[in-house]
């Protein structure tokens, strides 16, 4: 009985320890401004010496009030993450302005390291995300100016401007200093080197010449 109790306590301790290791650590100081010139490789960036930190490390004249030129899918994502503001290092947050042309979209994509919360500043957006296997439930909503929507971490999601005449603008906050973005079409059909058309034809249940045509397209990035 004592042996069973000891085993249970050990198992619970291992579970708690694993959860602690699996989550992002909280900052242990006021800030850790990224030292992007350091040769030391860590998960994130090494801290700059606080003596050399200035207000500019927490600032960027990003002109997020100005409209952006959109690409052929009709969107432009202006991301402000740790690569633009070094002071975001270890703080677990970033920001994006997203411009949508009439009938433009931010195509299906995921953020592997972040949940996203988005609000519409101008126009209307049709948004949605798909849950993981096996349900693959599709949840969608039409958003108007001032509305807010949340996309859970890692799930495939999109935004589409249904208005054929007017652009739309949104601001999104993401729960990572470097959320990452995987645009599904770009990753699957535009990988370098390309994924075998035998693999993709089987996966999508289409002819190989359809895959070859898709892989021959120019899969443009809309994140700037």
């Amino acid at each position: 009985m004592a042996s069973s109790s000891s085993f249970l306590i050990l198992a619970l301790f291992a579970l708690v320890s694993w959860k602690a290791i699996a989550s992002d650590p909280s900052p242990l100081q006021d800030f850790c401004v990224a030292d992007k010139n350091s040769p030391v490789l860590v998960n994130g960036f090494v801290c700059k010496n606080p003596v050399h930190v200035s207000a500019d490390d927490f600032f960027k004249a990003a002109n997020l009030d100005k409209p952006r030129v959109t690409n052929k899918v009709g969107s432009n994502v202006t991301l402000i993450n740790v690569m633009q503001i070094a002071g975001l290092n270890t703080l677990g947050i970033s920001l994006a302005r997203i411009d949508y042309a009439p009938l433009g979209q931010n195509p299906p994509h995921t953020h592997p390291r972040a949940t996203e919360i988005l609000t519409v500043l101008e126009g209307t957006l049709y948004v949605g995300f798909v849950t993981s296997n096996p349900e693959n439930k599709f949840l969608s909503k039409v958003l108007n100016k001032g509305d807010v929507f949340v996309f859970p971490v890692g799930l495939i999601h999109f935004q589409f401007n249904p208005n054929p005449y007017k652009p739309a603008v949104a601001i999104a906050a993401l729960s990572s200093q470097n959320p990452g973005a995987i645009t599904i079409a770009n990753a699957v059909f535009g990988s370098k080197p390309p994924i075998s058309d035998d693999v993709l034809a089987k996966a999508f249940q289409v002819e190989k010449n359809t895959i070859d045509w898709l892989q021959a397209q120019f899969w443009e990035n809309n994140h700037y």
Side-chain angles (χ1 to χ4, degrees), residues 160-199:
F160 172 70
N161 177 9
N163 193 312
Y165 307 108
K166 295 181 179 180
V169 181
I171 287 286
L174 301 108
S175 62
S176 171
Q177 68 181 45
N178 185 24
I182 303 171
T183 304
I184 306 306
N186 297 41
V188 173
F189 300 115
S191 66
K192 299 178 183 62
I195 300 171
S196 165
D197 56 4
D198 290 314
V199 172

Side-chain angles (χ1 to χ4, degrees), residues 36 57 59-60 79-86 88 224:
K36 298 173 187 174
D57 291 312
F59 170 81
K60 181 177 179 64
L79 179 63
I80 307 297
N81 64 7
V82 70
M83 301 308 296
Q84 285 77 42
I85 299 180
L88 286 173
Y224 301 99

Side-chain angles (χ1 to χ4, degrees), residues 127-155:
V127 306
F129 66 85
V130 180
T131 65
S132 56
N133 299 348
E135 290 83 6
N136 297 133
K137 185 175 182 180
F138 176 48
L139 302 172
S140 64
K141 193 79 173 174
V142 174
L143 307 182
N144 296 306
K145 183 175 179 178
D147 290 344
V148 175
F149 197 82
V150 174
F151 304 102
V153 58
L155 298 187

